[in-house]
Amino acid sequence: MLALPPQQAIPMAHGALPLLYTFHFYLFGLIAVGSALLFVTRKSPVAAALWLVNTMFCLAALFVLLDAQFIGALQVIVYAGAIMVVFLFVIMLLNLGQSPPADIRGIWWKIAAGAVGIAILAQVAAVIRAKTPATLTLPVGFAANQVASTGAVAPVAGPLFNDYLLAFEITSILLLAAIVGAVVVGRQRGEDLAR
Amino acid sequence: MLAEALFFSAVLFAIGVFGVLIRRNAIIVFMCVELMLNAVNLTFVAFAQAYGTAGQVFVFFVMTVAAAEAAVGLAIIIALFRHRPTVDLKNINLLKG
Amino acid sequence: MHSLLFAAAALQSAHPLDGTAAKWLWLVPLLPLLGFAINGLLSIAAAYRPGPTDPSGGAAHGSDESHAGQGEGHDDAGKHAHHEIPRHRYAGLTSVVGPGVLVLAFILSAMIFVAMRNAGGGAIEHPFIQRYFSWMPVGDLQIDAAFQLDQLSMLMVLVVTGVGALIHVFSVGYMRDDPGYPRYFSYLNLFVFFMLLLVLGANYPIMFIGWEGVGLCSYLLIGFWFSEKANADAGKKAFIVNRIGDFGFLIAMFLLFANIGALDFQGVAAGTKALAAGGPVVTAICLFLFLGCAGKSAQIPLYIWLPDAMAGPTPVSALIHAATMVTAGVYLIARSSMLFSLAPVAELVVVLIGALTAIFAASIGLKQWDIKKVLAYSTVSQLGYMFVGVGSGAYVAGMFHLATHAFFKALLFLGSGSVIYAMHAAYHHTHNQDDAQDMRNMGGLRRHLPITFVLMWIATLAIAGIPPLAGFFSKDEILGALFARAQGSTIAQAHLFGIPGTVWLYFAWTLALGAALMTAVYMTRMMLYTFHGPNRTGDAERPYLKESPWVMTGPLVVLAALTVAGGWLNLPEFAPLGPVGGLDRWLEPVVGEATKRVIGGAAPVAAGLELGLVAVAVLIAAAGIAIAVTRLDPKSLVPKSRSPQEEGFEKVLVNKYYVDEIYDDAIVKPVVATSRDLLWRGIDAGLIDGLGVNGAGKLTRFVGWVGSQFQSGQLGTYAWVLAIGVLAVLGAVTMR
């Protein structure tokens, strides 16, 4: 494998992060949230899909900021570049693009769903506040140092092909099954063609 | 940044839930589910930064499974659409009773 | 109480009756039970083959059609001129088995009686108890299946088997053409079995079995010709009214067990010493026992079933409703003398109700036209006399009247059966639909049924109280005892509703005298209208009226002899025609102590006063007969179909003071309405069925419906449920 030359680790002070870093983090985070909100409220499926793509881009940026560059690249390539493209293909295929009927439920639904969402948020927030054991926490900057020393792919590839090899193999079988299933379910039947 | 990332993830997840409950278009509901998965991915990555790269491995798997699920799910929707030319969830109620 | 039983057993081990014929005591009730089984099997066996079959009681000669015109639903057999009615297939065997077991039982009872006399008779202090097995050992309650033979039960056994045997023989002739011949005898035998259980039982529960059993057989026999609804209704009425009394008996047993702890007669006698004399407990027990007697022995207010019971065959009326079953109440009080003598208030109630019943029923009997109804009301009246006797503490007098009444009332009923038999035969020949039991259709029958005529006059004189026939002695003893108690006794010292007992007792005495007068009047009236004067049966029927065969008149003769000689059982001191006070001495060990307790140390009535009272009684009897003879004119009667309606007070008497109608409106209709509307429609159908049974079903369906509402098939709904579930789980985790 071609390994990138080890780069100079970005010097991080204990507990203090560069302002630029923090600014970008919040920027991408807020754009992600805003895009998501816009995504769920668009009437047109195409517009909604595109807003979701935007959300995914922002998430990819966040991944990079969180020292998961490889995952960030994967996010763009696989998620935004493949999965969302498939979505758009289907939307176009079913000709749902222009003037779709309004499919957002009524105001009471919105209020109720909003309440549920806020409730879930609250509960998750409560979980987040819980303290984790000190033995699990890594020293600050550990992930960044890892990336600096071994490159972005190695921290993922190492565990993937060693500890989680079985899961990896099973996932490949899962993909095979999905491909076969998608082809079988999605193919044109005889009677449909006759119509 | 762990707490902030987790917070964003929670908000995105809640928005995803909101979207699932609010929309009647099957494809859009599906996309909201993808949004929720993305939020979870963010959580994993945030934890990976704090507790070890096993988190990123999980993200890898989540993406794989999401891809497989998207493929099959959209195939189903296409098959449904062929049966009845609608993707509105209120018409897809043969499971009634 | 175990110690008492053991004590009794220890005493019993040296009983004078041990090793005598008394050891066959168990065979006496078993013989009629055997007869029941055999006759019952014969009846069932006949039902499987073609031939004259039950139960219509008339399929063979179509009595349903030919008797449709009779309003009261009674139905007797008779001979056809056109064709011989075929007898039952097993009639011959039944005629031997049915009366045979009774005759054997009587012979055995007589042997035991002789053994008892030889062992000392009235000197035997303790009863002879034969214990067969432990029946109900439940905690503190120890009830054995045991028979008790003492002088009182011996007397009853003799009366039951003796009179019963005579009536069985009579029935051979009376029921000879009935298609239900073996069924009749099986029921009759079963009745005697239960009656013997009643009188021989050594404890109240065994007695209660007999009590209920005779009620059952009464129902079966009253409704013997049940294809006519009126007969079945009469049977039901008898049973239901009896049940009301049985409830009283049961409550009394419960109270006995709760307060004394024993239910056998020996144990109760020992335990009564623990009870407060005149206290509320013993009074309550006695009153509830008397409720049972009022039902079984037809006293006010539960006498209503007995006149209707005349719907059964006449020998049944003779046996059950004259001689034996209805006397069970009197026997119960005599048997419970140790309890009653401790409760003067209860005894006062018994005397009063007995006296009221006596005069009430006698007044109704004055205006009845059906010959059997006259006798029925006469029975009710005489039972009232018996209760006056045992109620005033003169237990011997009451039992004496029970025995003599059995003789002459059975004679009267069988005699009337003879008359009805002849009338039916005559009507069958001419296919007449008239009432064969109505006295207005009779008259002048002394020329046609001379033997019956003479024998019935003997019985009539006896019941009126003419010396030296049996009824005079027994009635007179009761009246004398009542008067003596009124002058001084524990009863006289008691108070009822604030009025002293003395006043009540004198009042009862006058009522009893009035009833005696009316008895003489209506019995003479019955004889006049039936046997004297011109014959109103009809010219076509008259040639067919003839005397009954010997199988029927034979028992009548025996009963007449007993009626004449019955008074010798307990002759009073002023008429020493033979051994004086035989029954007094015979029953002394059983009721002597209780009688003394009631008398309470009062001086006996002076001999002169006693003779005066006797003279008054005889005068009243004679006056009654004279009134009837002079004021009633049989020639003025017309047959029933042309008789005018009664008016005024006569109408009230004929309709028996409308008591049945009053009961119907006041009690029956509200109970039926409550049962139907509240209990049936409201609670049973509405609450239990509707709410409970159907409701459970509806609830289940509702729950299922609610559940099915969640399965809308809408993905949106499922998503919602998912979200709520997530919230719940998260909440459970976070909100710890």
Side-chain angles (χ1 to χ4, degrees):
Chain A
M1 254 341 140
L2 223 63
L4 289 164
Q7 306 228 335
Q8 189 75 18
I10 302 167
M12 286 209 226
H14 245 319
L17 290 166
L19 184 62
L20 207 58
Y21 180 85
T22 315
F23 168 73
H24 276 98
F25 193 90
Y26 274 102
L27 177 71
F28 285 118
L30 287 169
I31 295 178
V33 171
S35 303
L37 277 171
L38 284 168
F39 151 63
V40 298
T41 51
R42 295 304 101 198
K43 278 202 282 285
S44 158
V46 175
L50 291 174
W51 279 114
L52 187 60
V53 170
N54 192 23
T55 311
M56 288 180 181
F57 279 144
C58 297
L59 278 178
L62 283 175
F63 290 164
V64 168
L65 282 171
L66 287 169
D67 298 320
Q69 292 85 349
F70 178 56
I71 300 300
L74 272 182
Q75 170 89 349
V76 174
I77 297 170
V78 173
Y79 236 118
I83 296 176
M84 292 316 299
V85 169
V86 171
F87 268 104
L88 278 166
F89 273 174
V90 172
I91 290 172
M92 299 299 190
L93 179 69
L94 301 183
N95 216 8
L96 297 172
Q98 52 263 44
S99 55
D103 66 317
I104 306 179
R105 297 181 196 261
I107 182 71
W108 291 111
W109 284 88
K110 287 198 190 115
I111 292 175
V116 171
I118 290 174
I120 288 185
L121 185 61
Q123 287 176 334
V124 171
V127 172
I128 290 174
R129 288 164 166 282
K131 291 233 180 297
T132 40
T135 50
L136 283 181
T137 316
L138 294 172
V140 177
F142 178 83
N145 290 338
Q146 232 183 354
V147 170
S149 60
T150 58
V153 183
V156 180
L160 181 63
F161 290 112
N162 289 317
D163 299 326
Y164 303 108
L165 182 60
L166 184 60
F168 181 75
E169 300 298 338
I170 292 175
T171 309
S172 65
I173 296 176
L174 172 74
L175 280 175
L176 175 65
I179 292 168
V180 171
V183 168
V184 165
V185 171
R187 73 176 172 191
Q188 296 223 351
R189 302 276 161 81
E191 59 269 21
D192 293 321
L193 279 176
R195 271 203 243 123
Chain B
M1 296 325 292
L2 179 62
E4 286 82 353
L6 289 179
F7 175 71
F8 281 130
S9 158
V11 171
L12 284 173
F13 188 85
I15 293 174
V17 170
F18 178 76
V20 165
L21 295 175
I22 204 84
R23 303 297 301 240
R24 276 207 318 262
N25 192 325
I27 299 181
I28 303 218
V29 169
F30 211 158
M31 287 200 281
C32 292
V33 174
E34 297 295 329
L35 176 62
M36 284 198 272
L37 285 170
N38 275 293
V40 168
N41 281 351
L42 180 58
T43 307
F44 274 130
V45 167
F47 278 129
Q49 193 199 41
Y51 302 131
T53 47
Q56 296 181 19
V57 174
F58 274 117
V59 175
F60 188 88
F61 286 128
V62 168
M63 277 192 207
T64 315
V65 171
E69 162 216 354
V72 176
L74 287 170
I76 292 175
I77 289 182
I78 291 177
L80 265 175
F81 190 81
R82 287 210 191 97
H83 178 63
R84 216 186 301 183
T86 177
V87 290
D88 193 332
L89 280 180
K90 81 163 180 280
N91 298 329
I92 307 172
N93 59 355
L94 288 177
L95 274 176
K96 184 166 170 47
Chain C
M1 291 306 120
H2 299 252
S3 57
L4 284 166
L5 273 179
F6 290 148
L11 284 166
Q12 183 202 318
S13 61
H15 200 274
L17 275 176
D18 278 336
T20 61
K23 68 173 183 278
W24 298 107
L25 185 60
W26 53 272
L27 196 56
V28 175
L30 194 69
L31 280 168
L33 186 65
L34 206 62
F36 157 71
I38 295 175
N39 287 323
L41 284 170
L42 289 176
S43 174
I44 294 174
Y48 284 100
R49 291 140 188 243
T53 50
D54 257 333
S56 64
H61 60 278
S63 80
D64 281 332
E65 306 93 69
S66 64
H67 289 233
Q70 294 176 14
E72 313 206 276
H74 52 260
D75 195 349
D76 286 346
K79 268 220 199 111
H80 256 282
H82 309 296
H83 61 270
E84 265 299 315
I85 302 160
R87 296 197 67 194
H88 194 275
R89 174 186 298 270
Y90 297 121
L93 186 56
T94 310
S95 306
V96 170
V97 171
V101 290
L102 252 290
V103 170
L104 283 175
F106 175 68
I107 293 174
L108 185 56
S109 318
M111 282 164 50
I112 298 177
F113 171 67
V114 167
M116 208 168 176
R117 285 211 54 170
N118 291 342
I124 303 176
E125 289 281 318
H126 301 284
F128 172 74
I129 300 182
Q130 246 187 0
R131 201 167 287 117
Y132 301 111
F133 55 90
S134 181
W135 180 31
M136 280 201 248
V138 183
D140 288 332
L141 184 62
Q142 298 286 331
I143 302 179
D144 295 325
F147 281 158
Q148 171 168 328
L149 184 69
D150 56 9
Q151 294 83 349
L152 180 62
S153 51
M154 186 78 247
L155 172 68
M156 289 299 297
V157 166
L158 281 174
V159 168
V160 169
T161 51
V163 176
L166 288 170
I167 294 179
H168 276 71
V169 172
F170 182 88
S171 304
V172 169
Y174 191 81
M175 302 288 288
R176 70 185 308 273
D177 293 322
D178 195 289
Y181 195 66
R183 183 170 63 103
Y184 171 83
F185 273 103
S186 77
Y187 288 163
L188 216 59
N189 284 343
L190 186 67
F191 167 82
V192 175
F193 164 71
F194 276 124
M195 191 71 204
L196 287 170
L197 267 190
L198 199 159
V199 299
L200 280 174
N203 47 51
Y204 282 102
I206 300 263
M207 191 171 163
F208 192 63
I209 295 182
W211 189 273
E212 299 267 291
V214 296
L216 166 72
C217 293
S218 173
Y219 160 77
L220 289 171
L221 283 163
I222 292 173
F224 185 69
W225 293 303
F226 55 79
S227 54
E228 307 244 352
K229 184 167 190 296
N231 300 346
D233 285 344
K236 273 191 291 188
K237 184 174 181 178
F239 195 73
I240 292 173
V241 175
N242 257 221
R243 282 308 256 169
I244 300 175
D246 295 346
F247 156 76
F249 196 136
L250 274 171
I251 301 285
M253 278 203 284
F254 297 157
L255 284 171
L256 265 178
F257 177 62
N259 290 292
I260 296 184
L263 281 174
D264 55 304
F265 299 131
Q266 297 293 90
V268 169
T272 49
K273 299 186 188 17
L275 289 175
V281 171
V282 72
T283 309
I285 294 175
C286 293
L287 284 176
F288 276 114
L289 281 175
F290 182 61
L291 180 62
C293 299
K296 185 68 71 186
S297 302
Q299 297 298 293
I300 290 174
L302 296 172
Y303 70 92
I304 45 174
W305 63 271
L306 202 137
D308 281 37
M310 297 300 114
T314 309
V316 166
S317 306
L319 180 61
I320 300 186
H321 308 126
T324 43
M325 183 180 100
V326 293
T327 57
V330 184
Y331 168 75
L332 172 65
I333 295 191
R335 183 53 88 194
S336 314
S337 56
M338 58 285 201
L339 286 168
F340 275 90
S341 55
L342 284 173
V345 176
E347 295 218 298
L348 201 49
V349 171
V350 172
V351 167
L352 272 175
I353 292 192
L356 279 169
T357 309
I359 198 168
F360 182 76
S363 67
I364 299 180
L366 281 175
K367 216 46 192 133
Q368 292 298 308
W369 291 114
D370 187 326
I371 194 173
K372 281 179 74 174
K373 287 268 173 35
V374 174
L375 293 174
Y377 283 106
S378 168
T379 305
V380 176
S381 179
Q382 295 301 309
L383 284 167
Y385 260 103
M386 288 183 227
F387 279 106
V388 166
V390 291
S392 51
Y395 305 104
V396 175
M399 294 304 295
F400 185 26
H401 198 57
L402 190 155
T404 58
H405 175 263
F407 299 147
F408 55 68
K409 192 46 70 62
L411 174 56
L412 280 169
F413 265 112
L414 294 185
S416 76
S418 185
V419 167
I420 295 169
Y421 185 78
M423 294 285 294
H424 257 289
Y427 277 163
H428 267 117
H429 274 95
T430 58
H431 290 282
N432 198 326
Q433 306 281 20
D434 282 351
D435 192 352
Q437 291 181 199
D438 196 305
M439 292 192 290
R440 291 172 289 196
N441 292 340
M442 301 178 189
L445 290 181
R446 64 186 168 157
R447 291 178 277 277
H448 305 276
L449 288 81
I451 304 176
T452 310
F453 166 66
V454 169
L455 297 176
M456 282 194 75
W457 255 116
I458 296 177
T460 304
L461 290 176
I463 196 174
I466 304 292
L469 298 172
F472 158 70
F473 291 107
S474 59
K475 236 189 216 188
D476 190 73
E477 190 169 332
I478 292 179
L479 289 171
L482 179 60
F483 195 82
R485 300 294 163 273
Q487 297 207 306
S489 64
T490 55
I491 309 179
Q493 286 151 13
H495 290 260
L496 186 65
F497 305 133
I499 302 178
T502 315
V503 174
W504 283 122
L505 284 174
Y506 277 122
F507 174 60
W509 186 76
T510 36
L511 286 182
L513 282 181
L517 177 67
M518 290 192 209
T519 304
V521 172
Y522 68 67
M523 287 309 296
T524 315
R525 168 181 176 268
M526 184 188 88
M527 295 302 292
L528 282 177
Y529 285 172
T530 309
F531 290 101
H532 294 260
N535 179 261
R536 296 175 288 278
T537 314
D539 299 318
E541 288 84 4
R542 203 164 300 132
Y544 297 106
L545 288 170
K546 57 187 177 68
E547 185 60 82
S548 315
W550 271 107
V551 72
M552 289 167 65
T553 48
L556 291 179
V557 171
V558 176
L559 284 170
L562 284 170
T563 309
V564 170
W568 262 255
L569 275 177
N570 203 27
L571 291 168
E573 278 147 13
F574 59 82
L577 305 160
V580 169
L583 206 56
D584 273 327
R585 280 176 287 123
W586 177 259
L587 289 177
E588 159 74 33
V590 184
V591 298
E593 186 187 332
T595 312
K596 286 199 201 60
R597 200 180 294 149
V598 171
I599 295 177
V605 180
L609 186 58
E610 199 182 337
L611 272 177
L613 292 173
V614 168
V616 167
V618 175
L619 272 175
I620 286 182
I625 298 179
I627 292 174
V629 166
T630 53
R631 298 210 43 190
L632 296 173
D633 185 12
K635 292 196 252 307
S636 67
L637 285 181
V638 289
K640 177 185 177 186
S641 46
R642 300 205 295 268
S643 283
Q645 285 277 23
E646 285 84 6
E647 287 167 24
F649 189 63
E650 285 183 354
K651 189 161 178 221
V652 174
L653 284 181
V654 169
N655 286 316
K656 27 189 181 60
Y657 293 101
Y658 298 106
V659 170
D660 281 318
E661 286 78 5
I662 294 173
Y663 276 7
D664 196 40
D665 286 332
I667 298 172
V668 175
K669 286 207 174 78
V671 170
V672 168
T674 311
S675 308
R676 184 183 54 234
D677 297 323
L678 177 69
L679 293 176
W680 173 40
R681 293 210 183 113
I683 295 181
D684 194 33
L687 206 65
I688 297 176
D689 277 347
L691 213 59
V693 176
N694 293 345
K698 282 193 192 131
L699 185 67
T700 311
R701 289 188 63 182
F702 176 70
V703 169
W705 175 83
V706 167
S708 78
Q709 292 306 103
F710 285 117
Q711 309 301 319
S712 61
Q714 301 282 354
L715 272 170
T717 313
Y718 296 155
W720 263 102
V721 176
L722 255 179
I724 304 292
V726 166
L727 268 180
V729 171
L730 270 179
V733 167
T734 59
M735 313 294 181
R736 193 81 60 81

